[in-house]
Amino acid sequence: VQLQASGGGLQQAGGSLRFSCAASGRAVSNYGMGWFRQAPGKEREFVAAVSRNGGSTNYADSVRGRFTISRDNAKNTVYLRTSSLRPEDTADYYCAAALTGWGQAPSIKTFEYNYWGQGTLVTVSS
């Protein structure tokens, strides 16, 4: 599967953005999906994940209540809606796909994801 992330840009603190991750080559319904981010000089970190059936989600503590992950398997797309953005949210955001069971809780671990898209950069100004 190939993943194409989009939706990054420049945003002021307190603003919102919506990321999209479009899958091709194979149905996104075959995968648990996650969003990760990497800030300059830092390691890649988990942001949010959703199970294959959309029934289970996980969030990093730093984004819980501000970010929402969702998926539309019919459109082969996964979304990350962000709100109340902070300067510390500035990073390259990556979507990733993991081979998991249909209702399996989505992983928060980078190494459990098999496929990665390219990053989309978000810069949040104060």
Side-chain angles (χ1 to χ4, degrees), residues 5 36 41 43 70 80 113:
F36 293 77
E43 292 188 355
S70 62
L80 183 70
Y113 285 81

Side-chain angles (χ1 to χ4, degrees), residues 4-5 10 21-22 30 34 44 48 54 65 70 74 78-79 81 88 90 93 107-108 111 113 115 117:
Q4 179 75 38
L10 179 63
C21 177
N30 289 295
R44 191 169 298 187
S70 62
V78 178
Y79 305 98
R81 185 178 297 278
E88 54 264 39
T90 294
Y93 283 72
S107 175
I108 67 171
F111 68 85
Y113 285 81
Y115 305 96

